[in-house]
Amino acid sequence: MNFLGARYGPTRPLLVDEYQNFTPTVLRELLHLQERCGFALLLAGNTHRSAGTRRDIHAMDQIESRIGMRFEIGQPTREDCVRIGAEHNVEGADAYEAIVTYGENTSLRALCHLLQNCAAVTNGVGSIRLSRTETTLRGISCGSDVLRLLRERRNAAADDLRSPA
């Protein structure tokens, strides 16, 4: 928002999510509307259509060439997870290992969602420890097997320590 505000002035941008599901005709019309009205347009979504229909490659290439910036966010790295944990006031080496394991096995969105829920439970007072992360994850997920995402690395590291070199 800061970047768009500095670039386009006081005009509020229009955010369109899941744009990959639009047909090329709809995307063209949206871009024509944006050009005529002069508002900032931010398209977000996946690189391929979710529907199993045929894709008009030439039309999509033309539309994508008109979009100014393109960012692809890959899987979070250990460093990403640690930084996000620090921003959410995670405390303890075991809690950091758990969120790194969770983040590397899910996505940035899932990791941030988990930590935001943990922070909401603490009301901004205190830190997020491993027990809080486990309790919150149990509450926001349907199955208990999601907790293994917090433990996979810890168990593998413990096995490495136990095995003779």
Side-chain angles (χ1 to χ4, degrees), residues 53-64:
T53 60
R54 195 184 70 170
R55 208 174 138 193
D56 185 349
I57 300 298
H58 299 295
M60 290 302 291
D61 288 342
Q62 179 188 19
I63 290 166
E64 288 176 359

Side-chain angles (χ1 to χ4, degrees), residues 2 9 14 21 26 30 77 93 102 126 132 139 154-155:
N2 290 336
L14 173 64
N21 292 319
V26 171
L30 183 60
T77 64
Y102 184 77
R132 170 61 50 212
R154 286 188 302 171
N155 290 341

Side-chain angles (χ1 to χ4, degrees), residues 35-77:
E35 289 171 354
R36 276 180 283 196
C37 297
F39 57 84
L41 178 64
L42 181 61
L43 300 176
N46 299 320
T47 56
H48 300 291
R49 290 187 68 180
S50 297
T53 60
R54 195 184 70 170
R55 208 174 138 193
D56 185 349
I57 300 298
H58 299 295
M60 290 302 291
D61 288 342
Q62 179 188 19
I63 290 166
E64 288 176 359
S65 72
R66 294 173 67 188
I67 299 172
M69 295 181 297
R70 184 176 186 96
F71 297 98
E72 289 196 26
I73 301 173
Q75 283 297 110
T77 64

Side-chain angles (χ1 to χ4, degrees), residues 1 4-14 34 37-41:
M1 293 295 288
L4 291 173
R7 187 166 199 173
Y8 296 105
T11 304
R12 299 218 20 126
L14 173 64
Q34 181 263 338
C37 297
F39 57 84
L41 178 64

Side-chain angles (χ1 to χ4, degrees), residues 72-114:
E72 289 196 26
I73 301 173
Q75 283 297 110
T77 64
R78 179 178 188 78
E79 293 77 25
D80 294 333
C81 297
V82 168
R83 284 187 185 132
I84 292 168
E87 289 176 14
H88 286 86
N89 201 20
V90 170
E91 183 178 335
D94 55 349
Y96 273 101
E97 279 303 313
I99 66 163
V100 166
T101 301
Y102 184 77
E104 287 177 339
N105 288 298
T106 58
S107 66
L108 286 172
R109 181 184 304 171
L111 177 61
C112 290
H113 180 72
L114 171 63

Side-chain angles (χ1 to χ4, degrees), residues 14-20 22 27 30 39 41-45:
L14 173 64
L15 172 63
V16 178
D17 196 10
E18 301 295 332
Y19 87 96
Q20 78 278 359
F22 292 171
L27 280 172
L30 183 60
F39 57 84
L41 178 64
L42 181 61
L43 300 176

